[in-house]
Structures are given as structure tokens and as C-alpha cells.
Amino acid sequence: MSATQAAFTQLLPLAADTFDKNKVTPGLLGFIVFAALALGVWGLMKSMSRHMGRVDFQEAPEPAAPAPDTRKP
């Protein structure tokens, strides 16, 4: 048995006694991860907006429609 398995075997029963399974919340770590993701998305959106503002797109003119054939058969 490795040291990690031994530690889990000893610590898991202690964790079961201290946590109420009906009141589990994400806690501080969950908030930090969510805030980091939100800041990352905000930065990406700001960068995308800046890059889209630099795009100089000129639409190509539509090709002329062919003239209808007015000849009689």
C-alpha cells in the first residue's frame, strides 16, 4: 500500500464525519475557479472586439445579371 492510499484510508472516515452531505457547497476554491474563468472570458471578448475592429472588409460587388434574351424563336 502506498503512502497516498494509506493517507486516504485514514482521512476519508474523518471527512465523512465533518461534512453534511446535504449542505455541500463549492466554497472558496469554486469561487476562485469561477472568477478566473470569468476574467479569462472577459479578456478573450475584449481581445476579439479589438481584432474585429481592425478588420477592413470590403464586400465584392455582385456580378451583373445576364441580360434577358429578347429574340423571338
Side-chain angles (χ1 to χ4, degrees):
M1 182 183 285
S2 72
T4 306
Q5 289 175 338
F8 280 136
T9 304
Q10 292 175 358
L11 293 177
L12 284 178
L14 295 175
D17 294 337
T18 59
F19 292 117
D20 183 10
K21 293 181 182 178
N22 296 323
K23 294 183 180 181
V24 176
T25 62
L28 182 62
L29 180 61
F31 175 73
I32 291 171
V33 169
F34 182 77
L37 287 172
L39 284 172
V41 168
W42 177 77
L44 286 172
M45 293 294 287
K46 187 170 181 167
S47 174
M48 183 186 71
S49 176
R50 190 174 341 122
H51 281 87
M52 292 300 285
R54 292 180 186 169
V55 173
D56 185 22
F57 178 74
Q58 294 179 352
E59 190 171 332
E62 292 191 23
D69 191 11
T70 58
R71 294 181 290 161
K72 290 188 179 184

